[in-house]
């Protein structure tokens, strides 16, 4: 069976989207072993605004969070979001800083580095991509999805090929605004799968109410991985609920095989938080 793989976002994008990235390490650690036993493709738990928020608002060491979670995760890859040449900050950094940061991220426990540039300038992905591969990580390059007269299917196909050419181990469609329409997702994924040698992941947000439908069509078109969040940290500006997506694919050739009772336990843990 060609099971759809799931990346769980509750430890990063879920709480970044819904509660300003204020989930603390202490709130995460008690549930890590259960998250690890679900069968997720990966747990997104670092990068994005987590680094900034830990330092600025939570009085925490983000590196310590990474190490503590890594100690408890035995079966699942840990994933982070990196802003290309901007790393986790708000300006461009020198190549040697980018390389050293990626090196230390992988040494401290990151397996998959999702790297994007807000303007899809591949030059701003190159150094981080090379560093991720050099130090044994998986370099996933992400296309920032938007709509305009120039952002056609052909544009994204050419961009994906350029990313594959510089060494991407997988390609993500990063729909940060939740505006990717279901039929467009079907066409885009179908076209990408026909030209790429590497897996395709789809990331969207439920902001516009389209996300679950978009995922259904993306999976029908052959997407390898989709990103979801456990229900208390899902919906709104976050991702669709993991449990709903798992249930939607039960009985199909893409079903996940996840235990819904286990997902319910995880959801019950997060509800009061």
């Amino acid at each position: 069976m060609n099971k759809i793989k799931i990346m769980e976002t509750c430890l990063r994008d879920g709480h970044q989207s819904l509660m300003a990235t204020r989930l603390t390490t202490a709130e995460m650690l008690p549930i890590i072993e259960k998250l690890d036993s679900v069968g997720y493709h990966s747990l997104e738990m670092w990068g994005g605004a987590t680094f900034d928020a830990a330092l600025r608002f939570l009085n925490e060491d983000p590196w310590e969070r990474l190490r503590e979670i890594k100690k408890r995760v035995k079966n699942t890859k840990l994933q982070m979001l990196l802003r290309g040449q901007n790393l986790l900050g708000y300006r461009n950094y020198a190549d040697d800083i980018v390389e050293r940061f990626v090196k230390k991220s992988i040494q401290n426990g990151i397996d998959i580095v999702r790297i994007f540039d807000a303007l899809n300038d591949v030059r701003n992905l190159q150094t981080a991509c090379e560093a991720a591969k050099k130090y044994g990580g998986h370099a996933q390059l992400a296309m920032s999805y938007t709509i305009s007269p120039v952002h056609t299917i052909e544009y994204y196909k050419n961009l994906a090929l350029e990313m594959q050419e510089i060494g991407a181990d997988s390609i993500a469609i990063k729909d940060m605004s939740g505006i990717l329409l279901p039929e467009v997702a079907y066409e885009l994924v179908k076209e990408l799968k026909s030209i790429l040698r590497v897996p395709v992941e789809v990331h969207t947000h439920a902001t516009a109410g389209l996300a679950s439908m978009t995922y259904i069509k993306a999976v029908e078109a052959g997407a390898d991985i989709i990103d979801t969040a456990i229900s208390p940290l899902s919906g709104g500006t976050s991702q669709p609920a993991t449990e709903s997506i798992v249930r939607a694919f039960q009985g199909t050739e893409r079903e996940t095989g996840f235990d819904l009772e286990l997902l319910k336990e995880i959801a019950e843990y997060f509800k009061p938080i």
Side-chain angles (χ1 to χ4, degrees), residues 6 19 33 50 54-55 64 67 96 101 116 123 134-136 145 156-157 174 177 183 186-187 223 250 252 270:
I6 302 277
M19 49 188 282
E33 278 90 350
T50 60
L55 294 168
E64 192 61 26
R67 288 190 288 267
D96 57 343
F101 191 93
F116 79 100
R123 294 172 298 178
K134 179 177 177 179
Y135 296 108
Y145 180 79
Y156 289 112
K157 285 170 66 178
K174 179 175 159 52
S177 309
E183 287 301 328
Y186 183 89
E187 185 184 356
Q250 274 188 335
T252 74
F270 279 110

Side-chain angles (χ1 to χ4, degrees), residues 181-191 214 217-218 220-222:
L181 297 170
E183 287 301 328
V184 179
Y186 183 89
E187 185 184 356
L188 178 54
V189 171
K190 200 82 173 166
E191 290 291 327
T214 295
K217 295 302 290 184
E220 284 179 7

Side-chain angles (χ1 to χ4, degrees), residues 213-231:
M213 296 177 278
T214 295
Y215 277 162
I216 295 286
K217 295 302 290 184
V219 171
E220 284 179 7
D224 300 284
I225 313 157
I226 54 175
D227 301 355
T228 65
I230 203 74
S231 54

Side-chain angles (χ1 to χ4, degrees), residues 64-221:
E64 192 61 26
R65 174 182 297 182
L66 174 53
R67 288 190 288 267
E68 287 300 315
I69 290 176
K70 188 66 174 181
K71 280 182 199 171
R72 292 162 173 79
V73 171
K74 309 298 179 192
N75 310 305
T76 316
K77 293 181 174 69
L78 297 186
Q79 185 158 338
M80 74 172 291
L81 181 68
L82 193 83
R83 303 177 182 129
Q85 206 70 21
N86 290 23
L87 295 176
L88 302 181
Y90 303 100
R91 64 176 178 84
N92 281 3
Y93 298 98
D95 286 352
D96 57 343
I97 298 295
V98 173
E99 179 173 345
R100 188 62 174 268
F101 191 93
V102 172
K103 176 184 179 181
K104 288 298 172 187
S105 300
I106 292 168
Q107 285 179 346
N108 281 272
I110 291 296
D111 300 294
I112 301 171
V113 187
R114 175 178 288 175
I115 309 162
F116 79 100
D117 179 73
L119 298 177
N120 288 329
D121 188 336
V122 176
R123 294 172 298 178
N124 286 328
L125 309 176
Q126 186 123 21
T127 302
C129 177
E130 289 171 0
K133 295 170 75 72
K134 179 177 177 179
Y135 296 108
H138 176 109
Q140 180 178 89
L141 301 190
M143 305 187 290
S144 297
Y145 180 79
T146 191
I147 50 177
S148 83
V150 301
H151 290 92
T152 61
I153 298 290
E154 205 59 35
Y155 164 88
Y156 289 112
K157 285 170 66 178
N158 291 334
L159 182 60
L161 285 172
E162 199 176 346
M163 290 174 168
Q164 181 174 262
E165 186 66 28
I166 69 165
D169 295 309
S170 59
I171 302 284
I173 302 164
K174 179 175 159 52
D175 175 28
M176 56 278 170
S177 309
I179 57 174
L180 178 58
L181 297 170
E183 287 301 328
V184 179
Y186 183 89
E187 185 184 356
L188 178 54
V189 171
K190 200 82 173 166
E191 290 291 327
L192 291 178
K193 290 295 293 179
S194 73
I195 60 170
L196 294 175
R197 302 183 302 272
V198 298
V200 173
E201 184 159 353
V202 182
H203 174 92
T204 190
H205 289 251
T207 318
L210 297 164
S212 295
M213 296 177 278
T214 295
Y215 277 162
I216 295 286
K217 295 302 290 184
V219 171
E220 284 179 7

